[in-house]
Amino acid sequence: MKTFQKLSFLLSILCIVSFSSCHQDLDKDPVKSDAEIIGSGIAWKLSTAKVGIFNVISEIDDCLQDNVVTFNYSPSVKLGVLDSGPTKCSSTESQTVNFIWDYNESTKILLVDTDIIEVPGAEGNMIVESVSNNELVISQNVSVSGITQKLVVTFVH
């Protein structure tokens, strides 16, 4: 009888542990890829622009600094919207521009078929330096007076 009680007790403990571990697994959100975080559908706004330790955001036109960019994630086609914000550079420009984007997780290259931010001298691919739920840091080479430098731009939600 004692053996049956011990076995019954161990079986009860095992059931409790297994049920609680299953419950914990259900509570966790699945880990999102960088592309899913970038394409969260929430607008990104320009926060900083630096070359080395120098803040160069003043080199970007004021009418571009209030633009917001939204990446929408879908496994098949990734669409985005660039909104000119409250200050448009020209009264004739559209308030919004739709674009197609893609992101390569292994190379960290963000491809966009429009300029999401117009930076004088910008060339080449945009590299995602880091991405979190609240911050997207990209870099791109810029050529100023024949000298190529790395521009690092930070967007925030």
Side-chain angles (χ1 to χ4, degrees):
M1 185 70 167
K2 285 186 176 188
T3 305
F4 179 73
Q5 286 178 336
K6 286 181 184 179
L7 184 59
S8 178
F9 177 74
L10 288 174
L11 187 57
S12 298
I13 296 294
L14 181 62
C15 287
I16 291 170
V17 170
S18 65
F19 284 135
S20 68
S21 67
C22 288
H23 178 69
Q24 290 172 356
D25 290 343
L26 294 176
D27 291 344
K28 293 181 182 177
D29 289 332
V31 175
K32 291 184 178 179
S33 69
D34 287 351
E36 290 172 311
I37 295 170
I38 293 168
S40 65
I42 301 172
W44 295 99
K45 184 175 183 341
L46 178 65
S47 175
T48 63
K50 293 182 177 182
V51 173
I53 61 169
F54 300 104
N55 185 349
V56 295
I57 200 161
S58 62
E59 299 300 316
I60 300 170
D61 289 336
D62 290 341
C63 60
L64 298 172
Q65 290 185 34
D66 65 354
N67 290 3
V68 292
V69 61
T70 304
F71 298 91
N72 297 299
Y73 178 81
S74 167
S76 55
V77 177
K78 296 169 184 73
L79 300 175
V81 178
L82 176 64
D83 188 304
S84 294
T87 310
K88 292 180 13 178
C89 295
S90 167
S91 60
T92 59
E93 78 180 45
S94 297
Q95 182 65 40
T96 60
V97 174
N98 296 324
F99 61 88
I100 296 173
W101 67 280
D102 199 10
Y103 178 67
N104 185 311
E105 295 276 344
S106 61
T107 62
K108 305 288 187 191
I109 293 176
L110 177 63
L111 298 172
V112 180
D113 71 353
T114 191
D115 289 332
I116 60 171
I117 184 159
E118 294 176 33
V119 178
E123 56 188 35
N125 294 324
M126 290 182 286
I127 306 296
V128 174
E129 299 288 332
S130 66
V131 62
S132 70
N133 288 328
N134 300 317
E135 184 178 78
L136 171 62
V137 181
I138 60 173
S139 67
Q140 189 172 23
N141 288 331
V142 292
S143 180
V144 180
S145 301
I147 300 171
T148 300
Q149 301 175 53
K150 182 178 177 179
L151 170 71
V152 179
V153 179
T154 303
F155 292 90
V156 296
H157 284 308

